[in-house]
Amino acid sequence: MSKNVPSFDDLTLGSGASLEELVDRGALKEMVASFYELFRVPLRVFSDSEGLMAEAAAEPELYTYLNGFPDGRKLVAEVIQRVKSAEPQPGVDQDCACATGVEYRIAAICLDGRRIGRFVLGPFLPPTVKSVPRELFEIYGVDPEAVKRHLARVPRAKNETVAQIARHLERSLDLILFSGHKALLTSSMHLASVRESFRDLEEKNGRLQEAYDRLKELDQLKSNFLATVSHELRTPLTSIIGYSEMLAEGIAGELTGEQKEFVTTIHEKGIQLLELISGLLDLSKLESGTLAMRRTEVALDLLVADVLQTLVPMALRKHVTVVGEVDPGLPRLVGDATRLRQILTNLCDNALKFTPEHGRVTIRVEMTHMDPTLDSSEGMVLLAAQQPAARITVSDTGIGVPDEAKEKVFDAFYQVDSGTTRQSGGTGLGLSIVKRLVEGHQGQVFVRDNSPVGAEFVVTI
């Protein structure tokens, strides 16, 4: 393989895994301790990047004794330095002997031909050493008997035996490294995949944020446009409605039957257009949060009677019965009377539009309690006290609302059925305005089935 071509480890693990990344330090210490218990040969494991990772057996008593003398300390330091500076190559162990007669065997710990650490077996004393080396007796001040006694306590092992121990240890480490490398590689690949997914997600989130900001800007421009255009249309439209009323009343002269019919049509369509423009203005104010609420005490029975009186002409034209059922003794409701009237009027207009001839629209008002589990605010819902409220139900015997549309009907400009909507009229703004006005009163609104036909819109404030 060319030197310029990166290995699989380089691509997945950077510059390659280290020994401490592949092996659990605690498990390695247990394995080293087990080897020492079995073979009684001191063992140390070193990482090329972090140094000593595990060891079994303390410093030999011989070294401790020799360190008490200047020349002995120098001799021990030379031995330790030779062991530390040893650089065993993969597959080739390195032996290290010193003037004290003890020996070490040093072997490389490799992964795929790359050295990541080394282990040191020793010090041990080969059986061939039967006498104390002369260099130990030449150390100034040492006691020959003490030297013999300490040297006798150094573990004895044949070089062949130590070589077999080294091979066994290498195979054991190979198995551990293979398992650790597999786990690390899997983890690294997963982490790389997560990083790539996260980077991709960040890019998509960035694009979504840009699109959201753009849409928000466009929505604001749309709201400003609707508010401006609607406001500018009201002035000439009011004049059209006023002059058509005067023409219909004969102020500018008597009209023929056909002329009066045309003027009446102009007046009715002008009223419809004015209602649409008023709805757009209200929606624009609700979206921008500039619609002010003037709260006062409102008598619900009088409010329902007022709305019913307004609905009578339209109900008579469609031959629909409109009734109000208000529980006696209802307390006054604190709210904006104009907006509460608008809520009721929009709900009843919607019911009348989709109720066929000889149908029925009912307004029912009763006392109830707010459901704390429907409150979106955080808190201890289970301990929340029930709050007294008024429940207003507007039911009809019309076409009803499909289950999949019960949430969407409160979206601006949403039409349940385009064919029915074109037949009955409407812009899809009424229920959206209702929902926003109800929420402005800290209330709740939803739609449910009115079995066997029709729908019920329930407002709780």
Side-chain angles (χ1 to χ4, degrees):
M1 181 181 292
S2 171
K3 293 183 179 180
N4 296 326
V5 179
S7 68
F8 188 66
D9 272 6
D10 292 332
L11 294 173
T12 56
L13 301 173
S15 60
S18 61
L19 182 61
E20 54 273 13
E21 290 176 319
L22 297 173
V23 179
D24 178 72
R25 194 179 293 264
L28 182 63
K29 289 180 179 179
E30 290 183 4
M31 188 190 75
V32 168
S34 298
F35 264 81
Y36 179 70
E37 290 179 3
L38 284 172
F39 305 109
R40 309 310 298 179
V41 177
L43 172 62
R44 292 173 178 82
V45 178
F46 296 88
S47 165
D48 281 354
S49 57
E50 285 197 0
L52 182 65
M53 290 190 65
E55 65 176 334
E59 183 179 273
E61 294 181 6
L62 176 63
Y63 289 174
T64 304
Y65 177 71
L66 294 177
N67 276 326
F69 307 94
D71 292 341
R73 189 160 48 250
K74 181 179 178 181
L75 179 63
V76 172
E78 290 177 356
V79 174
I80 294 175
Q81 182 59 34
R82 287 179 61 190
V83 173
K84 284 185 175 181
S85 60
E87 294 290 342
Q89 297 305 311
V92 180
D93 295 354
Q94 184 173 340
D95 294 324
C96 179
C98 68
T100 60
V102 299
E103 294 186 11
Y104 295 85
R105 190 174 187 90
I106 308 164
I109 301 175
C110 302
L111 177 66
D112 294 335
R114 178 176 60 88
R115 201 186 81 179
I116 58 176
R118 57 197 175 94
F119 64 84
V120 179
L121 282 167
F124 63 93
L125 197 63
T128 55
V129 179
K130 300 185 181 299
S131 61
V132 178
R134 181 169 50 84
E135 289 84 352
L136 295 181
F137 292 143
E138 294 177 353
I139 297 174
Y140 179 77
V142 299
D143 180 2
E145 294 300 323
V147 171
K148 291 180 182 180
R149 186 170 60 253
H150 292 309
L151 189 61
R153 294 195 177 100
V154 176
R156 286 184 174 268
K158 294 180 180 180
N159 288 324
E160 296 81 2
T161 302
V162 175
Q164 290 178 357
I165 295 173
R167 298 286 79 78
H168 183 49
L169 183 58
E170 286 177 359
R171 287 193 291 269
S172 299
L173 286 172
D174 283 344
L175 290 174
I176 295 175
L177 291 176
F178 175 78
S179 177
H181 183 256
K182 181 180 178 182
L184 182 62
L185 186 59
T186 302
S187 175
S188 299
M189 292 294 291
H190 177 69
L191 184 60
S193 175
V194 170
R195 283 175 178 161
E196 180 63 22
S197 299
F198 181 73
R199 185 189 62 79
D200 187 48
L201 184 61
E202 277 191 325
E203 291 179 357
K204 290 181 179 178
N205 282 341
R207 292 195 294 269
L208 284 174
Q209 185 64 43
E210 291 176 2
Y212 170 77
D213 293 339
R214 180 59 179 161
L215 287 174
K216 191 174 181 181
E217 180 183 355
L218 292 175
D219 186 66
Q220 185 62 41
L221 290 173
K222 176 217 60 174
S223 299
N224 294 339
F225 173 78
L226 287 177
T228 303
V229 173
S230 300
H231 186 271
E232 294 299 325
L233 286 175
R234 290 185 72 174
T235 302
L237 187 58
T238 302
S239 298
I240 292 172
I241 294 173
Y243 279 106
S244 63
E245 285 180 346
M246 289 188 291
L247 288 173
E249 291 173 2
I251 294 178
E254 196 68 31
L255 301 177
T256 65
E258 190 175 5
Q259 290 173 336
K260 193 167 185 178
E261 182 181 348
F262 290 165
V263 169
T264 301
T265 301
I266 292 172
H267 180 264
E268 290 177 352
K269 299 305 179 183
I271 293 294
Q272 291 179 8
L273 187 56
L274 182 61
E275 290 175 352
L276 171 60
I277 292 172
S278 298
L280 289 172
L281 280 174
D282 288 340
L283 183 63
S284 177
K285 290 179 181 178
L286 287 166
E287 287 181 344
S288 62
T290 58
L291 186 67
M293 293 283 186
R294 298 175 178 84
R295 298 181 184 275
T296 58
E297 290 188 353
V298 181
L300 290 176
D301 53 347
L302 298 179
L303 179 65
V304 171
D306 183 28
V307 172
L308 287 175
Q309 187 176 3
T310 305
L311 296 174
V312 166
M314 182 178 178
L316 289 176
R317 286 198 302 270
K318 291 197 65 174
H319 305 289
V320 174
T321 303
V322 181
V323 296
E325 300 175 357
V326 182
D327 284 355
L330 281 177
R332 289 176 176 267
L333 180 67
V334 177
D336 188 318
T338 302
R339 300 306 169 187
L340 290 173
R341 183 181 294 106
Q342 188 176 2
I343 291 171
L344 268 178
T345 302
N346 284 1
L347 288 176
C348 292
D349 280 344
N350 190 72
L352 281 171
K353 287 175 186 176
F354 297 101
T355 299
E357 289 188 357
H358 309 296
R360 181 183 179 92
V361 175
T362 305
I363 306 174
R364 171 77 176 154
V365 184
E366 57 193 333
M367 282 296 296
T368 184
H369 292 86
M370 293 289 286
D371 185 357
T373 61
L374 297 178
D375 190 359
S376 60
S377 61
E378 296 181 357
M380 300 180 66
V381 174
L382 293 177
L383 302 179
Q386 289 189 326
Q387 184 179 3
R391 180 165 60 209
I392 304 170
T393 305
V394 177
S395 58
D396 60 65
T397 57
I399 61 174
V401 180
D403 290 338
E404 64 273 11
K406 286 182 179 178
E407 291 295 331
K408 297 179 182 179
V409 292
F410 295 105
D411 295 340
F413 304 106
Y414 179 79
Q415 307 285 359
V416 174
D417 179 78
S418 57
T420 305
T421 302
R422 283 195 293 268
Q423 180 182 354
S424 304
T427 61
L429 290 176
L431 293 179
S432 177
I433 293 173
V434 166
K435 181 175 176 62
R436 294 175 185 269
L437 290 176
V438 170
E439 290 174 348
H441 284 82
Q442 288 78 51
Q444 303 156 0
V445 58
F446 64 94
V447 59
R448 66 187 178 197
D449 290 333
N450 181 21
S451 182
V453 293
E456 283 188 351
F457 286 85
V458 182
V459 175
T460 309
I461 299 178

